[in-house]
Amino acid sequence: MSIEISKVTANVGARVSGVDISKPLDEEQVTAIRAALDVHKALAFDDVHLDDEGQQAFARHFGDLTTAHPTVAAVDGAPNVLPVDSERGRANHWHTDVTFVLNPPQASTLRSITIPPYGGETLIASSAAAYRDLPAPLRALADTLWAEHTNDYDYAVPDEQIDEEQAAQRAQFTSIKFRTAHPVVRVHPLTGERGLFIGGFAQRIVGLSVGESRKLLDLFQSYVTRPENILRWRWSPNQLVLFDNRITQHYAVDNYDGRPRRLHRVTVAGDVPVGIEGKESYSIEGDASHYTSVAE
């Protein structure tokens, strides 16, 4: 049976059928999935029967794997698998995975393990569509800008709202401090598309004050999070979503009343981002070589 791709929204997301990703894929299948990912940015696979090993094997078709995270612990016995578990914290802010390192993952896979009876969706936004939406003067400005991304920043949560467990999680997350400068407009290495490469870890525009930076980043981010540019993925059992981490952002919606929610994440090592003038991102603080190789 041939692979079938069905769009879910106009700007981001498609369902993939006609392929059993629990089995090794041939070159033609990998090429077809990669081509669909280039177009749709996020791909959903239904009725998949994978364990952690199977999820890793699928992700390896697209490149070398990273370890689970630069600072956060992996699933026991599976150093490349990150538990995205509501009991360990909730990523309910817009972000692109691990942009605070020099070469963030090129692609991420999420697999449903425990799904709440309602809520718990994952939102995935196309930063390519966001860039296309920018008025010409804003696009010209964005093309010239660079932003510092870091895992160590003020979360703007009052200390009295942080319990001991949350404080420990935050301390672990920042146990190695990273700071990297990336172009605000990244050129996708496979398609040549331009996308806004910002998100929650982007904290300051190079050359501007924190206050000035926040106003500009919020303005650009408002184009990423336009409803027309977002896929709202409602999880079901035995699903896997593959998304292009180079040209999307995502957000885990905390709307399930604290019920158990668990996904497993496996990410594929990425290249060093490049801006429209061909200049590569550069590291300011932190060495992530223990976490990821650099894709050529």
Side-chain angles (χ1 to χ4, degrees), residues 59-158:
R60 279 195 187 95
H61 285 103
F62 306 97
D64 294 337
L65 302 187
T66 72
T67 58
H69 192 273
T71 59
V72 178
V75 170
D76 288 344
N80 303 103
V81 182
L82 181 74
V84 181
D85 194 327
S86 59
E87 295 183 359
R88 290 177 42 157
R90 299 172 190 182
N92 56 331
H93 65 101
W94 283 104
H95 66 287
T96 299
D97 283 336
V98 201
T99 59
F100 45 84
V101 304
L102 179 62
N103 59 307
Q106 60 161 295
S108 297
T109 64
L110 289 174
R111 176 170 59 97
S112 57
I113 306 295
T114 303
I115 303 304
Y118 50 84
E121 300 93 343
T122 296
L123 309 183
I124 302 175
S126 169
S127 57
Y131 180 79
R132 293 194 299 267
D133 285 347
L134 290 175
L138 284 181
R139 199 179 308 139
L141 174 61
D143 287 344
T144 69
L145 299 176
W146 285 66
E148 289 186 9
H149 296 234
T150 181
N151 64 330
D152 184 24
Y153 60 90
D154 180 5
Y155 289 78
V157 178

Side-chain angles (χ1 to χ4, degrees), residues 14-289:
R15 287 182 183 270
V16 181
S17 58
V19 60
D20 183 353
I21 64 171
S22 68
K23 298 177 180 178
L25 304 180
D26 61 34
E27 186 175 344
E28 184 178 350
Q29 290 172 317
V30 173
T31 298
I33 292 171
R34 171 67 80 178
L37 186 64
D38 288 344
V39 172
H40 301 289
K41 318 308 182 211
L43 303 176
F45 299 81
D46 294 318
D47 196 28
V48 300
H49 298 281
L50 297 171
D51 55 13
D52 289 334
E53 283 297 322
Q55 184 176 357
Q56 292 171 82
F58 171 71
R60 279 195 187 95
H61 285 103
F62 306 97
D64 294 337
L65 302 187
T66 72
T67 58
H69 192 273
T71 59
V72 178
V75 170
D76 288 344
N80 303 103
V81 182
L82 181 74
V84 181
D85 194 327
S86 59
E87 295 183 359
R88 290 177 42 157
R90 299 172 190 182
N92 56 331
H93 65 101
W94 283 104
H95 66 287
T96 299
D97 283 336
V98 201
T99 59
F100 45 84
V101 304
L102 179 62
N103 59 307
Q106 60 161 295
S108 297
T109 64
L110 289 174
R111 176 170 59 97
S112 57
I113 306 295
T114 303
I115 303 304
Y118 50 84
E121 300 93 343
T122 296
L123 309 183
I124 302 175
S126 169
S127 57
Y131 180 79
R132 293 194 299 267
D133 285 347
L134 290 175
L138 284 181
R139 199 179 308 139
L141 174 61
D143 287 344
T144 69
L145 299 176
W146 285 66
E148 289 186 9
H149 296 234
T150 181
N151 64 330
D152 184 24
Y153 60 90
D154 180 5
Y155 289 78
V157 178
D159 288 342
E160 60 269 19
Q161 293 183 16
I162 304 296
D163 59 27
E164 287 187 13
E165 183 178 4
Q166 291 170 319
Q169 290 169 350
R170 185 177 296 180
Q172 180 187 40
F173 192 78
T174 58
S175 57
I176 304 173
K177 293 181 174 61
F178 295 95
R179 186 176 299 275
T180 302
H182 293 300
V184 166
V185 178
R186 180 180 185 177
V187 179
H188 195 285
L190 299 181
T191 67
E193 273 188 297
R194 297 179 182 185
L196 290 174
F197 197 62
I198 45 176
F201 299 119
Q203 291 295 300
R204 190 176 73 84
I205 299 292
V206 174
L208 298 183
S209 70
V210 172
E212 292 166 336
S213 297
R214 190 74 271 148
K215 290 174 182 175
L216 273 181
L217 288 168
D218 287 347
L219 176 59
F220 292 133
Q221 184 68 14
S222 70
Y223 285 85
V224 177
T225 57
R226 284 183 166 184
E228 294 83 0
N229 295 335
I230 294 173
L231 168 68
R232 188 180 186 104
W233 189 255
R234 174 72 178 101
W235 289 98
S236 297
N238 301 316
Q239 285 183 327
L240 180 139
V241 171
L242 165 69
F243 56 89
D244 191 332
N245 199 59
R246 293 180 284 210
I247 204 157
T248 61
Q249 290 184 31
H250 55 284
Y251 182 113
V253 185
D254 182 6
N255 61 348
Y256 45 97
D257 290 333
R259 304 289 185 96
R261 177 187 186 271
R262 185 180 176 113
L263 310 173
H264 279 186
R265 187 182 87 185
V266 175
T267 52
V268 183
D271 50 310
V272 178
V274 175
I276 65 169
E277 295 180 344
K279 182 181 175 182
E280 291 188 339
S281 300
Y282 56 93
S283 178
I284 300 168
E285 180 181 9
D287 179 2
S289 58

